[in-house]
Amino acid sequence: MPPQKKHWESMAKGLVLGALFTSFLLLLYSYAVHPLHAGLAATTPEAAAPCSPTPEEPKAVTRANGSAGECRPRHDIVFMKTHKTASSTLLNILFRFGQKHGLKFAFPNGRNDFDYPAFFSRSLVQDYRPGACFNIICNHMRFHYEEVRSLVPPNSTFVTVLRDPARLFESSFHYFGPVVPLTWKLAGRDKLAEFLQDPDRYYDPNSYNAHYLRNLLFFDLGYDSGLDPGSPRVQEHILEVERRFHLVLLQEYFDESLVLLKDLLCWELEDVVYFKLNARRDSAVPRLSGELYRRATAWNMLDARLYRHFNASFWRKVEAFGRERMAREVAALRQANEHMRRICIDGGRAVDAAAIQDSAMQPWQPLGTKSILGYNLKKSIGQRHAQLCRRMLTPEIQYLMDLGVNLWVTKLWKLIRDFLRW
């Protein structure tokens, strides 16, 4: 048989195999992902079986930060994990704290999120039973306050994190773009710039995964991301977030946010040391600036209003905390982070995926590219820090598996991606 004919036959077989795998993948995904509806999901029937906590109070500790009196470390925490807001770093902090204190997590079943973008339901929790009570809920979800509240004690602390909407949109566009079909029609090297020139031309709110490309914070928090920015419901939703959440952190002021979180939860400095996880490699495409930044902000106006509100409240909290005290504690946190960096990280910095030596340290990558950075753990770390270093550097998926979470859908999806080299 001529070599050219063999070549075409090989290509044809590859295309058929790829089509079969793609069809299988779509069927699997349609099974694993619930359809997206604009309204709230129906609540779980067991509304009459609320969380029944065990009456156990943590020991009081004396604050070491200069404030008066004693406080009790808080163990019951709901972290509403928003997308592309440094939330993976906060997740690692919560994993470590919960593991250290033997706390009970409400984890998803089969995946690393609670069937996002469907609304959260308590029935999605792994091994859920009516009346079950949990200490920490922290995986990605579309927020449903009543369903979440039913799983934790009444005095639980609710926190979330926001980010400048234009920067969040930029990050979300690059990360999720390959799985948002409406971006496929965009041509040229800078698809983001082309989209922002005339977003209404390309955007369809009913398109698959379109929620990633407009007002993602509003969507994650459980609200309609397509509301008219002038609607009175927008301000009502913002004030509802303020009532429900004890602290709203800001990604741009991450260290200051952690200091406020530490104070709110009565934690120790060692509880909030961190390495930046799930960070994206600098793109070859220039960052948003000038007119494009303004366009991105206008396109995400609901998120912009939300962010402006909580940016103002954040700095009021900083003022109440004390500017000088904040500066001291931020410096102490950064010093502790630097100390751990020297102990834990081989080479002292994050590296590209191809340079990561241990597969257990490989972060989850977006479809079609390996743009997320990770770390190499030093080979020789003293016994005192070995466990902490590994936990601080472990990516989300691997940490969930270490904690015993059933991730069969996520694992299968990874096997398919690896086979097809996506």
Side-chain angles (χ1 to χ4, degrees):
M1 184 182 294
Q4 188 175 10
K5 188 175 181 181
K6 285 185 178 179
H7 172 72
W8 285 109
E9 283 189 358
S10 177
M11 284 185 64
K13 288 177 181 177
L15 287 171
V16 171
L17 183 62
L20 288 172
F21 266 107
T22 302
S23 300
F24 169 72
L25 182 61
L26 289 172
L27 285 171
L28 172 67
Y29 203 72
S30 66
Y31 165 76
V33 180
H34 293 300
L36 175 60
H37 300 289
L40 283 176
T43 57
T44 307
E46 302 90 9
C51 161
S52 304
T54 302
E56 180 181 342
E57 287 291 332
K59 295 179 180 178
V61 298
T62 303
R63 291 184 181 272
N65 54 21
S67 61
E70 292 184 341
C71 62
R72 297 181 183 277
R74 298 195 185 190
H75 288 176
D76 303 315
I77 303 154
V78 173
F79 172 48
M80 173 53 221
K81 188 178 189 290
T82 49
H83 286 86
K84 314 314 297 175
T85 57
S87 60
S88 293
T89 302
L90 276 164
L91 196 70
N92 182 274
I93 289 172
L94 289 169
F95 284 170
R96 287 187 278 121
F97 185 85
Q99 199 172 20
K100 175 182 176 182
H101 294 278
L103 303 182
K104 186 177 181 181
F105 288 90
F107 283 130
N109 188 21
R111 299 164 38 161
N112 61 310
D113 60 57
F114 290 105
D115 280 16
Y116 184 89
F119 278 99
F120 176 81
S121 168
R122 74 192 87 165
S123 63
L124 297 171
V125 173
Q126 181 174 295
D127 301 325
Y128 169 74
R129 296 290 182 274
C133 197
F134 300 88
N135 299 114
I136 299 177
I137 306 177
C138 55
N139 290 81
H140 275 308
M141 67 172 74
R142 191 172 186 202
F143 193 57
H144 188 316
Y145 178 68
E146 297 299 334
E147 287 288 292
V148 171
R149 190 179 64 171
S150 70
L151 293 174
V152 293
N155 61 344
S156 296
T157 304
F158 282 65
V159 298
T160 190
V161 57
L162 307 181
R163 182 182 182 183
D164 179 308
R167 299 297 178 209
L168 184 147
F169 172 76
E170 178 184 28
S171 181
S172 182
F173 189 97
H174 288 306
Y175 189 92
F176 295 112
V179 295
V180 183
L182 65 86
T183 67
W184 299 349
K185 66 184 78 171
L186 295 164
R189 176 169 168 268
D190 194 346
K191 292 187 175 186
L192 178 59
E194 181 182 345
F195 179 87
L196 286 174
Q197 292 301 326
D198 189 5
D200 288 313
R201 173 186 172 190
Y202 301 105
Y203 186 75
D204 175 3
N206 298 314
S207 176
Y208 183 70
N209 279 341
H211 61 278
Y212 286 120
L213 299 188
R214 191 172 200 187
N215 296 312
L216 184 54
L217 292 171
F218 231 67
F219 183 89
D220 283 355
L221 287 165
Y223 301 117
D224 180 359
S225 57
L227 279 176
D228 182 334
S231 167
R233 291 170 60 196
V234 177
Q235 184 64 14
E236 290 170 10
H237 291 332
I238 291 171
L239 294 178
E240 187 173 65
V241 173
E242 187 169 57
R243 289 194 301 271
R244 289 174 170 176
F245 287 85
H246 299 85
L247 179 63
V248 175
L249 293 72
L250 300 181
Q251 186 260 1
E252 290 79 9
Y253 303 98
F254 196 69
D255 290 345
E256 291 85 351
S257 293
L258 286 182
V259 169
L260 291 179
L261 182 67
K262 178 174 75 71
D263 185 68
L264 174 66
L265 299 177
C266 190
W267 286 7
E268 300 297 322
L269 178 63
E270 65 185 37
D271 296 322
V272 295
V273 293
Y274 71 92
F275 299 131
K276 189 176 181 181
L277 300 178
N278 212 36
R280 181 166 56 97
R281 184 180 61 237
D282 290 338
S283 172
V285 178
R287 292 192 73 198
L288 287 179
S289 60
E291 180 61 23
L292 286 180
Y293 178 88
R294 288 189 287 274
R295 286 176 179 269
T297 301
W299 177 246
N300 295 277
M301 185 49 66
L302 303 184
D303 281 1
R305 288 187 59 183
L306 180 76
Y307 185 83
R308 280 200 295 266
H309 180 94
F310 285 102
N311 184 48
S313 68
F314 179 86
W315 292 107
R316 288 195 295 271
K317 289 180 185 293
V318 171
E319 289 292 341
F321 185 84
R323 291 272 183 171
E324 290 185 5
R325 180 182 166 203
M326 175 61 74
R328 288 195 305 270
E329 296 219 14
V330 165
L333 174 59
R334 290 174 179 170
Q335 185 178 8
N337 288 341
E338 174 62 20
H339 176 66
M340 293 306 299
R341 183 190 67 80
R342 292 196 301 268
I343 292 172
C344 302
I345 301 175
D346 189 23
R349 62 182 180 84
V351 296
D352 285 337
I356 299 172
Q357 299 161 9
D358 184 352
S359 61
M361 295 290 132
Q362 278 283 358
W364 186 266
Q365 297 291 343
L367 197 65
T369 183
K370 291 186 179 295
S371 59
I372 302 301
L373 304 175
Y375 298 93
N376 285 313
L377 191 65
K378 276 189 175 180
K379 299 293 189 296
S380 56
I381 301 174
Q383 187 176 358
R384 179 184 172 190
H385 295 102
Q387 184 183 73
L388 177 58
C389 285
R390 177 164 286 277
R391 287 178 177 177
M392 288 181 70
L393 293 174
T394 298
E396 175 183 341
I397 301 298
Q398 292 90 322
Y399 211 141
L400 285 167
M401 289 190 288
D402 289 346
L403 292 170
V405 183
N406 175 15
L407 296 178
W408 73 268
V409 175
T410 304
K411 289 178 182 178
L412 183 57
W413 174 224
K414 184 180 186 304
L415 285 172
I416 295 170
R417 286 185 56 180
D418 289 347
F419 180 79
L420 297 176
R421 297 183 181 179
W422 284 353

